[in-house]
Amino acid sequence: MIPSVNETHDPNLQSWIESANDGKTDFPIQNLPYCVFKHEGTKETPRVGVAIGDRILDLAACQRGGLFDGNEKNAGEACLSASLNALMALGPEDWSALRKRLSTLLRIDSRDYRSAKTILADSLLPINSAKLYVPAEIGDYTDFYASIYHATNVGKMFRPDQPLLPNYKYVPIGYHGRSSSIVQSGTTIVHPSGQIKREKDERPIVAESEQLDYELELGCYIGGGNKLSEPIPIAKAEDNMFGLCLLNDWSARDIQRWEYQPLGPFLAKNFATTVSPWVVTMEALAPFRAAAFRRPAGDPKPLPYLSSDENTKKGGLKIALDVFIKSKLMRAEWHQPVHLSTSNSSDLYWTFAQMVAHHTGNGCNLRPGDLLGSGTISGKDKKSFGCLLELTGGGKSPVKLSSGELRSFLQDGDEVIF
């Protein structure tokens, strides 16, 4: 069931942590995203926290201080782990109970806060004093191709005569990625090498990629999961979705162009995938639910296992997503990042619930901590394209930066900001 708006989403709520109320923070009391962290420069064991304003609340410390002794008890105990997997394994009732308890403890007008003031104050850490980690032990990672605009734009470059293959409107297309190369935000990415077939050359060569690209995506962490050979019906898919993160599916386009036929991405993708350290829960996103993508007249209806009234009415998400770039020279000259595009998750042709239902439709078992990527999120026009391949027309129309530099694809020292 899709989470409903409740008291934790009240826009009038204020926190006793002042930075959560400034109207600029990404982490007001209505959000409360999870992370895994430790104090920077220490040998502490990583533990679970939530972001509130410019602080992280240490949930392991709160648990040890006896603050989670009600309906949220199971979830509180799960927060003693060094990853989010134990919490993800529980389910919507436990997730919701912990969110409600945290909201109560962090409200400025809360009686519970006043009685636990010392424990809460001692459990706070400035975000800039924390080392953040990939928040889950990701057993498996699958990347989908859910934006019809992205699929069409890329298809025109690779297959001008048939940009969108016939199965696209029936099947949520995806490929199995590599969980071992998923890294946290801020990790330096090295240009991969691989087989590249240039137009002028008769044979491929092995060389460093000259067409490194980003892909703007959302990632969905699985919670709950299913047993082998027992599909998750679409009516239950939302109960198995813990939360979302930002995801960058780095792509070497010159390697990809040569290798992708007949079986799809391989070395062009599996050298690195970056995720944000924060996981915004599906319940926190309840106010931003939207109808699923409205299919044009003539498009086929989703097959029954991919269709439900609830998914049609509010299976989508309305989240604006921005991309910025900052080169090495721009940093040296103190330039602000250059804005490249704004897209929106409401433009995804397939919902995350449909991805979950399809992924498990053959009996494939998903496990807590597994990660599903949305695929590059692009809109109808150039201002909403989610990768440089689209923005530059395959490199033919470079983007000009504030430093005067041109970018067809990424170069050494470039910083990509989602």
Side-chain angles (χ1 to χ4, degrees), residues 141-369:
Y141 160 52
T142 302
D143 200 31
F144 282 87
Y145 198 42
S147 167
I148 193 168
Y149 300 119
H150 173 68
T152 302
N153 291 336
V154 173
K156 287 177 181 177
M157 299 176 202
F158 290 176
R159 299 178 304 274
D161 297 332
Q162 192 181 30
L164 206 62
L165 295 175
N167 64 348
Y168 186 86
K169 295 180 180 180
Y170 288 94
V171 179
I173 302 295
Y175 74 92
H176 289 293
R178 185 76 185 171
S179 60
S180 65
S181 53
I182 295 176
V183 295
Q184 69 269 28
S185 178
T187 302
T188 297
I189 304 301
V190 177
H191 279 265
S193 294
Q195 282 198 29
I196 297 169
K197 172 67 168 63
R198 299 184 177 119
E199 290 184 13
K200 64 180 180 179
D201 296 332
E202 184 179 342
R203 295 166 58 85
I205 62 170
V206 176
E208 185 179 277
S209 172
E210 295 177 348
Q211 297 185 353
L212 183 60
D213 201 357
Y214 62 82
E215 289 195 339
L216 174 65
E217 304 193 22
L218 288 173
C220 178
Y221 283 100
I222 295 299
N226 60 307
K227 295 180 180 178
L228 184 67
S229 78
E230 296 183 5
I232 297 174
I234 192 165
K236 298 288 186 181
E238 294 274 351
D239 293 340
N240 291 273
M241 292 157 49
F242 178 77
L244 302 187
C245 66
L246 291 170
L247 186 151
N248 188 344
D249 182 35
W250 302 97
S251 301
R253 301 302 188 186
D254 39 8
I255 298 174
Q256 181 181 3
R257 188 175 293 108
W258 174 239
E259 74 173 6
Y260 86 102
Q261 297 188 76
L263 292 181
F266 185 33
L267 299 186
K269 299 277 191 175
N270 67 6
F271 60 94
T273 301
T274 298
V275 292
S276 58
W278 314 106
V279 183
V280 180
T281 64
M282 300 310 297
E283 185 173 4
L285 291 167
F288 307 99
R289 300 309 294 240
F293 187 90
R294 187 171 182 177
R295 299 187 171 208
D299 277 17
K301 292 182 178 179
L303 295 176
Y305 80 102
L306 295 173
S307 181
S308 75
D309 288 343
E310 184 182 51
N311 185 72
T312 300
K313 292 175 182 176
K314 51 182 180 177
L317 288 156
K318 197 168 186 178
I319 303 171
L321 300 160
D322 291 285
V323 183
F324 300 81
I325 189 171
K326 198 173 189 180
S327 71
K328 184 177 182 180
L329 178 59
M330 288 171 64
R331 288 196 296 277
E333 296 181 348
W334 298 96
H335 288 255
Q336 292 298 310
V338 170
H339 182 254
L340 294 178
S341 68
T342 301
S343 58
N344 199 292
S345 58
S346 61
D347 281 328
L348 291 173
Y349 194 81
W350 298 101
T351 67
F352 276 111
Q354 289 172 317
M355 296 178 217
V356 170
H358 181 67
H359 202 313
T360 63
N362 66 345
C364 173
N365 53 319
L366 296 178
R367 298 169 294 184

Side-chain angles (χ1 to χ4, degrees), residues 108-150:
I108 196 168
D109 57 352
S110 167
R111 183 181 303 170
D112 290 354
Y113 154 60
R114 290 192 289 272
S115 64
K117 186 181 295 186
T118 301
I119 296 172
L120 289 167
D122 291 344
S123 302
L124 287 173
L125 172 74
I127 290 175
N128 59 15
S129 297
K131 177 177 174 57
L132 298 165
Y133 293 85
V134 173
E137 295 176 11
I138 301 170
D140 285 295
Y141 160 52
T142 302
D143 200 31
F144 282 87
Y145 198 42
S147 167
I148 193 168
Y149 300 119
H150 173 68

Side-chain angles (χ1 to χ4, degrees), residues 338 398-407:
V338 170
V399 173
K400 188 173 184 178
L401 307 184
S402 58
S403 57
E405 300 169 278
L406 299 177
R407 286 293 182 272

